[in-house]
Amino acid sequence: MSAGKGLKLSAIGVDHGHIFGMLGHMLKQGCTAETWWTHEDWDLPVKFAQTYPDMTRVADRRVILDDPSVDMVLIAAVPEDRASLAIEAMRAGKDVMVDKPGCTTLEQLAEIKAAVAETGRIWTVNFSERFQVPCVAKAEELVAGGAIGQVIQTIGMGPHKQNLHTRPKWFFERARYGGILTDIASHQIDQFLHFTGSTEVTIKHAHVSNKTLPQHPGVQDFGEVALEGDKGHGYVRVDWFTPAGLPMWGDGRLTILGSDGFIELRKYIDLANGNKGDQLLIANGEGAEVIDCRDLDLPYFARICADIQNRTQTAVSQAHTFRTMEIAIRAQMHAEGTPA
């Protein structure tokens, strides 16, 4: 039986391309989806309608929220708006999968925590750089099996192409997208927490800057964070400097240093290996090898379907998701000199 059989989804807010991965992977689990809503009209909603012609766009999101047959709402609205939409959906009895960042301020996060406690609904943030990357799933398996010993540090790199001509207005507005650390670095912070197992974290250093786009003062095109956890260390670098000639939107990588070896993940492209993605490099006391992970399964989506049905937390704990967003937001505040 498909993990998502019997589950009905709807989409609210089609403002980021991540909605395609979120919905596509859930449909592969056997879920169904009939309706969607979004506020703005631009290229992305047009593409969404063309990709899912059997889904009906409704004029009022209350049509979705008032539909008792909808189990989960997928939200990829403008980042600033995601928290309010998620809270509205949870209070309407829906579980929620939201694109990262799940929220942009500590005040929003506190309101989300209260809504989860009040409603008992699931609020999961789709950290796609972990949940939608097969080589990360393989790394989880290897680390859990002790292949590199105790995890000491993670180094996460999240480069992106600017593609300014394709970006909507909100991309250039700091308050709307939340800042580069709240937004992109939440991916790498999620992976740091997951692989080290840290639950108490100190932000040792955080920096953001606009290096190349003075005509867009709200943009932050470079950011970095150094983290000290109770069970490991982490370094994060995120940027918008992927060169136009790279045949991929970004050469995202994760290095996991262990006491008995290391793993390097070349997630989306490996220039030294035929430009293939999902390549896992491991070296430990037994040797060194490259593992091609392109055909491996992604466990998150089957698990979140089971969690909806069983009211469990097997895909990711609610505490982990809260913690990831809190650290990302606090790092952003630290970098901007805002008291946190």
Side-chain angles (χ1 to χ4, degrees), residues 130-149:
R130 175 158 70 101
F131 299 148
Q132 292 180 210
V133 180
C135 67
V136 181
K138 182 63 176 179
E140 292 176 348
E141 175 189 319
L142 292 169
V143 170
I148 60 171

Side-chain angles (χ1 to χ4, degrees), residues 214-228:
Q215 71 274 31
H216 298 295
V219 171
Q220 297 167 353
D221 57 16
F222 179 84
E224 63 179 355
V225 185
L227 301 169
E228 180 181 334

Side-chain angles (χ1 to χ4, degrees), residues 64-101:
I64 293 170
L65 298 177
D66 293 340
D67 183 350
S69 70
V70 173
D71 300 290
M72 172 174 267
V73 168
L74 310 184
I75 298 174
V78 176
E80 183 184 38
D81 300 333
R82 292 172 187 172
S84 61
L85 290 171
I87 291 168
E88 186 179 39
M90 286 188 284
R91 288 180 173 156
K94 317 302 182 188
D95 293 319
V96 172
M97 178 190 292
V98 61
D99 184 18
K100 65 79 216 163

Side-chain angles (χ1 to χ4, degrees), residues 257-289:
L257 174 66
S259 56
D260 301 322
F262 70 84
I263 290 172
E264 180 186 342
L265 305 179
R266 301 183 181 183
K267 297 181 179 180
Y268 308 111
I269 189 170
D270 184 354
L271 292 176
N273 193 15
N275 289 354
K276 293 182 292 187
D278 275 303
Q279 302 299 295
L280 184 151
L281 289 65
I282 181 170
N284 57 19
E286 299 178 0
E289 64 175 318

Side-chain angles (χ1 to χ4, degrees), residues 163-241:
N163 289 332
L164 298 183
H165 66 285
T166 69
R167 302 296 179 179
K169 183 180 178 181
W170 62 261
F171 176 84
F172 303 97
E173 300 174 0
R174 160 63 182 82
R176 296 290 273 157
Y177 71 87
I180 194 170
L181 300 183
T182 297
D183 182 16
I184 301 177
S186 62
H187 283 301
Q188 285 72 34
I189 293 169
D190 159 70
Q191 292 162 80
F192 156 75
L193 292 173
H194 179 71
F195 282 106
T196 66
S198 294
T199 56
E200 297 179 10
V201 179
T202 301
I203 300 165
K204 306 298 289 186
H205 165 76
H207 170 80
V208 298
S209 57
N210 183 329
K211 299 288 187 183
T212 64
L213 297 168
Q215 71 274 31
H216 298 295
V219 171
Q220 297 167 353
D221 57 16
F222 179 84
E224 63 179 355
V225 185
L227 301 169
E228 180 181 334
D230 55 336
K231 294 184 180 180
H233 300 265
Y235 174 77
V236 174
R237 191 204 78 208
V238 289
D239 65 76
W240 290 97
F241 298 134

